[in-house]
């Protein structure tokens, strides 16, 4: 089975100043989560037209975020 995946940029006309080191999409495919080299976790809204807008940014990690995982219910 061949699966086609469309590439998506997670910023607008200008790239972010932080370095994305991990990326994950939620099961409902409405939120993208990115981790950065600077220790930030960013949440992005993803519309059905594949338009991305920033939602939240979480600070507090003292090291790079190199892996993201979904929690089990």
């Amino acid at each position: 089975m061949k699966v086609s995946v469309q590439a998506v940029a997670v910023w607008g006309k200008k790239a972010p100043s932080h370095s994305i080191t991990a990326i994950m999409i939620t099961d409902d495919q409405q939120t993208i989560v990115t981790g950065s080299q600077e220790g930030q976790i960013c949440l992005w809204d993803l519309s059905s037209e594949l338009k991305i807008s920033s939602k939240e940014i979480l600070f507090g990690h003292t090291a790079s975020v190199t892996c993201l995982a979904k929690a089990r219910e």
Side-chain angles (χ1 to χ4, degrees):
M1 178 172 83
K2 185 176 180 180
V3 177
S4 177
V5 177
Q6 185 173 3
V8 176
V10 293
W11 54 81
K13 295 179 182 178
K14 185 178 177 188
S17 59
H18 62 271
S19 303
I20 293 174
T21 53
I23 188 166
M24 182 186 73
I25 190 164
T26 57
D27 290 335
D28 63 5
Q29 298 182 353
Q30 294 182 356
T31 304
I32 295 175
V33 183
T34 59
S36 74
Q37 187 173 356
E38 295 76 20
Q40 302 162 351
I41 296 176
C42 300
L43 304 178
W44 308 81
D45 281 326
L46 177 61
S47 73
S48 57
E49 297 85 27
L50 297 179
K51 295 190 184 228
I52 298 171
S53 57
S54 59
K55 183 176 180 178
E56 294 180 57
I57 187 165
L58 308 172
F59 298 92
H61 288 85
T62 57
S64 297
V65 177
T66 58
C67 182
L68 295 166
K70 294 180 250 184
R72 294 183 189 196
E73 291 183 19

